[in-house]
Amino acid sequence: MAEERMEILRKIARGEISPEEGERLLRDLDARERAEQAEEPGRSWTDGAAQAFQDLGDSLRRAVDDTVGAAQRIFDEHRPGTETVAIEGRAFPIDPTGRLKVQQAVRFSFGGGSKGGNVILRPGEAGRVRIVRGEAIEVHRCDDERILTWAKGNLELEIPAEIAGLEVRSLGGDLEVVDHPGRMDLESLGGELRVRGVRAPFRLRSLGGK
């Protein structure tokens, strides 16, 4: 059943089902597991295993809620003090002291939802982020942060080495960062993580990927 849970999470990440539908499927899966355990009296050693899977399901659900909820809020809400950054010539400026956040925006509608795509970040020229590939992109500024969101398809960026920090969150696609010398915080839900040319401390977190 652990594999069934992971498949539900992957479907949420790919936009095939909504977070609410995924939550319902996870609850049904937990109920089915408890019912199966109840039908096998005399095997008390299974109680601990069943509880462990229940705890795992709860943790994974919380992780999905956090990931999807944060992506939705960043895309849809303009916080006080946040302003739109103009994209000119498929690029936008960023200061060496600034931080860059890249995050999938998740939106669901009757016509279908956003689907996770692959993310590739490569070295670029100083002082600006260049968008090589990507659709439905928005960039916002909040203090020293630039927050880039995209709603569908693959995303490829060229980023400067001289930035204070890089944070990337990918939903359903693979994430690859090449030759970035600075600090990084990378997270993937349902995809693979690949990092090359690392020269500074970084953090990786993957759910359902490698």
Side-chain angles (χ1 to χ4, degrees), residues 85-177:
V85 176
I87 301 175
E88 300 180 356
R90 300 286 288 177
F92 61 91
I94 186 170
D95 297 328
T97 57
R99 293 177 53 85
L100 175 63
K101 291 187 177 182
V102 179
Q103 187 157 339
Q104 176 87 36
V106 179
R107 295 179 296 176
F108 298 95
S109 66
F110 292 111
S114 304
K115 295 185 178 181
N118 298 328
V119 182
I120 302 176
L121 279 69
R122 305 184 186 278
E125 63 183 80
R128 73 170 193 161
V129 176
R130 179 171 173 264
I131 302 166
V132 178
R133 179 172 47 170
E135 299 180 52
I137 293 175
E138 291 188 8
V139 181
H140 297 105
R141 175 179 179 175
C142 183
D143 297 327
D144 62 347
E145 293 181 343
R146 300 294 189 279
I147 304 168
L148 182 150
T149 60
W150 87 107
K152 60 182 179 179
N154 298 327
L155 178 71
E156 184 175 349
L157 304 175
E158 292 180 356
I159 62 174
E162 302 82 4
I163 55 176
L166 173 65
E167 180 180 328
V168 186
R169 179 174 289 171
S170 174
L171 302 177
D174 297 340
L175 171 57
E176 180 178 0
V177 181

Side-chain angles (χ1 to χ4, degrees), residues 1-192:
M1 288 190 179
E3 180 58 32
E4 292 182 56
R5 285 188 172 87
M6 294 308 303
E7 182 59 27
I8 293 170
L9 293 176
R10 294 188 188 103
K11 288 182 177 181
I12 295 173
R14 293 192 295 262
E16 296 176 5
I17 60 175
S18 70
E20 293 78 13
E21 177 67 10
E23 176 70 18
R24 186 188 66 77
L25 291 174
L26 286 169
R27 285 199 303 268
D28 292 345
L29 191 61
D30 290 338
R32 178 156 56 91
E33 184 177 14
R34 287 194 295 270
E36 290 177 0
Q37 296 296 336
E39 292 174 358
E40 300 182 24
R43 297 182 62 188
S44 58
W45 63 271
T46 62
D47 294 342
Q51 184 61 48
F53 278 113
Q54 173 70 36
D55 294 342
L56 175 63
D58 291 342
S59 298
L60 291 174
R61 281 198 298 274
R62 285 194 297 272
V64 171
D65 289 343
D66 290 345
T67 301
V68 175
Q72 183 74 50
R73 287 193 299 274
I74 287 179
F75 192 85
D76 288 336
E77 296 179 7
H78 291 183
R79 294 170 293 176
T82 299
E83 59 185 41
T84 301
V85 176
I87 301 175
E88 300 180 356
R90 300 286 288 177
F92 61 91
I94 186 170
D95 297 328
T97 57
R99 293 177 53 85
L100 175 63
K101 291 187 177 182
V102 179
Q103 187 157 339
Q104 176 87 36
V106 179
R107 295 179 296 176
F108 298 95
S109 66
F110 292 111
S114 304
K115 295 185 178 181
N118 298 328
V119 182
I120 302 176
L121 279 69
R122 305 184 186 278
E125 63 183 80
R128 73 170 193 161
V129 176
R130 179 171 173 264
I131 302 166
V132 178
R133 179 172 47 170
E135 299 180 52
I137 293 175
E138 291 188 8
V139 181
H140 297 105
R141 175 179 179 175
C142 183
D143 297 327
D144 62 347
E145 293 181 343
R146 300 294 189 279
I147 304 168
L148 182 150
T149 60
W150 87 107
K152 60 182 179 179
N154 298 327
L155 178 71
E156 184 175 349
L157 304 175
E158 292 180 356
I159 62 174
E162 302 82 4
I163 55 176
L166 173 65
E167 180 180 328
V168 186
R169 179 174 289 171
S170 174
L171 302 177
D174 297 340
L175 171 57
E176 180 178 0
V177 181
V178 180
D179 294 333
H180 183 69
R183 301 180 68 91
M184 297 185 294
D185 191 333
L186 310 176
E187 183 174 309
S188 175
L189 177 61
E192 295 186 4

